[in-house]
C-alpha cells in the first residue's frame, strides 16, 4: 500500500475522490498514517467525518470495515461470536462416535474455525491494512469505550476461550463522534484528535460544485451563502455540508436557477430536520436571510 508522503499529498489524494480537505485535517490524517495512531474526529453531524473514512479506503484501494455504533452495541456485533450451530454439530458428532476426550472436544469447539469474525476482529486478520471506521462512537454505551482500548493501543484482541489475535497488518483506524456524550479520556489518549468544523464559504463552494453538479455558478453561491448565514441562527440543528449538497441537488431537480422565497420555503425540509427550526424560518427568518443576500448583491 502506497501511503501519502506529505500533507500536500494527502490533500491531493483525497481530491481524486472529490473530498475537499483543509490543511489542518490533512495534517492530522497524515500524522495518523505516519505514526500508525487512530484518528479521533469530533464535530457536528454532516461535516464529512464519516465520508473521510470511506473516501480514504477508496483512495488507498483497501477494505473498509465499519462499526456503526448504537445503544446496546456488544462484542458479538462488533468483534466476534462463536458459531453455536457448528459447535452443536461438533458435540453431536462426538456423542455419536462416543468420543470421550473432553480436552480435544473443547479445543475443537473453541478453535479458529468456530469463530465468526465481526469488523474489529476482521480488521486484525487482513493481509493488507484496512480502514477501520468506528462511526458515531458517542451513540454506544460507555463500557464499549473500554472494550476498544486493547484494539486501539495494541492492535490486538483477546478472546478468553481462544487467546490473543494480533494484527497481521495494523488497521488504519478512524473514529467519529457527534459529541452527544463525552468519550472516555483513556480512549482519547490512544488517538490523535481533530475537531471537524463547518467549512469556510470558499471550501463549501468547492465541495458543492464537486458533489452537486448541474447548478449554475450563481445558484452555487446563493445556496452556500444562505446556508452559511443560516448556521448563525439559533437553530436546534444547523444544516451540515451534507444538507447543503442535498439542497443543491433538490434545487437542480426543481430546475431552480436562483433562490426565491417560495422555493426556499417549499424545500426547507431538505435543509432542516426539526419542525421548530422549519417554523422559525417560515416565521420570517427566510425573508431576512434573502434580504441580506440581496443587500450584498448576491440575489437579483
Amino acid at each position: 500500500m502506497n501511503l501519502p508522503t506529505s500533507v500536500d499529498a494527502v490533500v491531493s489524494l483525497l481530491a481524486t475522490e472529490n473530498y475537499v480537505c483543509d490543511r489542518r485535517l490533512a495534517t492530522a490524517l497524515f500524522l495518523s498514517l505516519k505514526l500508525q495512531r487512530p484518528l479521533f474526529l469530533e464535530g457536528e453531524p454532516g461535516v464529512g467525518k464519516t465520508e473521510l473514512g470511506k473516501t480514504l479506503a477508496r483512495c488507498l484501494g483497501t477494505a473498509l470495515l465499519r462499526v456503526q455504533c448504537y445503544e446496546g452495541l456488544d462484542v458479538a456485533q462488533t468483534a466476534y461470536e462463536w458459531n453455536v450451530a457448528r459447535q452443536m454439530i461438533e458435540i453431536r458428532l462426538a456423542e455419536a462416535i462416543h468420543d470421550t476426550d473432553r480436552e480435544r472436544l473443547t479445543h475443537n469447539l473453541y478453535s479458529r474455525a468456530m469463530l465468526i469474525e465481526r469488523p474489529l476482529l476482521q480488521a486484525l486478520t487482513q493481509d493488507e491494512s484496512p480502514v477501520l471506521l468506528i462511526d458515531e462512537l458517542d451513540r454506544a454505551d460507555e463500557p464499549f469505550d473500554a472494550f476498544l482500548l486493547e484494539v486501539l493501543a495494541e492492535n490486538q484482541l483477546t478472546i478468553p476461550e481462544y487467546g490473543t489475535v494480533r494484527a497481521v497488518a495494523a488497521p488504519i483506524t478512524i473514529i467519529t463522534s457527534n459529541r452527544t456524550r463525552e468519550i472516555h479520556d483513556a480512549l482519547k489518549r490512544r488517538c490523535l484528535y481533530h475537531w471537524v468544523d463547518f467549512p469556510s464559504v470558499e471550501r463549501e463552494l468547492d465541495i458543492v460544485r464537486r458533489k452537486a453538479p448541474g447548478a449554475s455558478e450563481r445558484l452555487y453561491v446563493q445556496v452556500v451563502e444562505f446556508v452559511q448565514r443560516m448556521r448563525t441562527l439559533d437553530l436546534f440543528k444547523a444544516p451540515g455540508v451534507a444538507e447543503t449538497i442535498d439542497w443543491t441537488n433538490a434545487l437542480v431537480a426543481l430546475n431552480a436557477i436562483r433562490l426565491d422565497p417560495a422555493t426556499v420555503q417549499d424545500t426547507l425540509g431538505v435543509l432542516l430536520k426539526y419542525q421548530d427550526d422549519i417554523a422559525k424560518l417560515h416565521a420570517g427568518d427566510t425573508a431576512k436571510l434573502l434580504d441580506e443576500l440581496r443587500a450584498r448583491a448576491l440575489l437579483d
Side-chain angles (χ1 to χ4, degrees):
M1 181 187 298
N2 295 320
L3 296 177
T5 56
S6 68
V7 175
D8 289 336
V10 171
V11 175
S12 299
L13 180 67
L14 295 174
T16 63
E17 290 289 335
N18 289 326
Y19 189 95
V20 182
C21 184
D22 66 35
R23 191 166 184 82
R24 291 189 304 113
L25 177 56
T27 301
L29 180 56
F30 172 72
L31 292 174
S32 172
L33 296 171
K34 189 74 172 178
L35 303 177
Q36 294 189 330
R37 295 281 298 279
L39 178 59
F40 184 83
L41 301 175
E42 278 191 323
E44 295 294 331
V47 293
K49 303 185 297 297
T50 300
E51 191 62 28
L52 178 62
K54 294 159 63 177
T55 302
L56 183 61
R58 293 196 300 271
C59 289
L60 297 177
T62 192
L64 173 67
L65 300 172
R66 181 173 178 174
V67 176
Q68 181 61 56
C69 298
Y70 55 87
E71 187 177 353
L73 195 65
D74 61 21
V75 174
Q77 291 139 340
T78 59
Y80 69 91
E81 61 180 322
W82 293 106
N83 191 330
V84 178
R86 285 192 62 182
Q87 287 176 325
M88 293 303 297
I89 292 172
E90 194 74 19
I91 292 170
R92 296 290 181 264
L93 289 174
E95 291 175 346
I97 62 175
H98 305 291
D99 185 352
T100 58
D101 189 337
R102 297 180 64 86
E103 184 175 340
R104 181 170 60 188
L105 177 60
T106 300
H107 176 75
N108 290 340
L109 290 178
Y110 295 103
S111 65
R112 187 61 175 271
M114 294 292 181
L115 275 175
I116 299 175
E117 295 185 2
R118 301 303 184 203
L120 292 180
L121 182 56
Q122 286 178 319
L124 304 178
T125 59
Q126 305 297 305
D127 293 330
E128 187 176 54
S129 296
V131 171
L132 174 62
L133 175 60
I134 303 174
D135 204 17
E136 297 185 320
L137 178 59
D138 52 319
R139 294 183 180 275
D141 301 318
E142 286 190 32
F144 187 64
D145 296 2
F147 174 73
L148 289 174
L149 297 181
E150 183 183 17
V151 176
L152 299 180
E154 302 174 54
N155 289 318
Q156 68 179 38
L157 181 64
T158 299
I159 302 171
E161 305 89 343
Y162 175 78
T164 300
V165 178
R166 294 179 175 82
V168 175
I172 299 165
T173 304
I174 293 179
I175 304 170
T176 75
S177 168
N178 296 329
R179 210 173 186 180
T180 59
R181 71 168 175 87
E182 286 296 327
I183 304 301
H184 201 283
D185 286 344
L187 187 145
K188 285 187 174 181
R189 284 200 304 271
R190 287 158 172 80
C191 305
L192 303 185
Y193 176 86
H194 183 76
W195 174 268
V196 184
D197 212 341
F198 290 118
S200 64
V201 171
E202 293 75 16
R203 192 159 70 88
E204 190 160 15
L205 268 172
D206 193 3
I207 293 168
V208 175
R209 289 188 189 108
R210 291 168 181 261
K211 296 290 188 179
S216 65
E217 185 60 26
R218 177 174 61 175
L219 185 60
Y220 284 134
V221 173
Q222 291 176 356
V223 163
V224 170
E225 291 283 359
F226 186 91
V227 173
Q228 290 264 337
R229 183 65 184 87
M230 182 183 285
R231 291 182 186 132
T232 67
L233 301 178
D234 184 21
L235 299 176
F236 184 80
K237 167 63 177 66
V241 181
E243 282 75 31
T244 308
I245 295 168
D246 287 344
W247 195 37
T248 306
N249 283 323
L251 294 171
V252 170
L254 293 171
N255 297 315
I257 58 174
R258 63 182 178 83
L259 293 185
D260 61 74
T263 302
V264 173
Q265 297 280 20
D266 291 344
T267 57
L268 279 177
V270 181
L271 275 177
L272 303 172
K273 306 303 166 66
Y274 289 89
Q275 176 55 31
D276 288 349
D277 289 343
I278 293 174
K280 180 178 178 65
L281 268 294
H282 280 314
D285 281 353
T286 294
K288 292 178 184 177
L289 296 183
L290 290 174
D291 286 342
E292 288 183 18
L293 296 188
R294 191 173 292 107
R296 295 167 57 192
L298 295 174
L299 289 182
D300 295 340

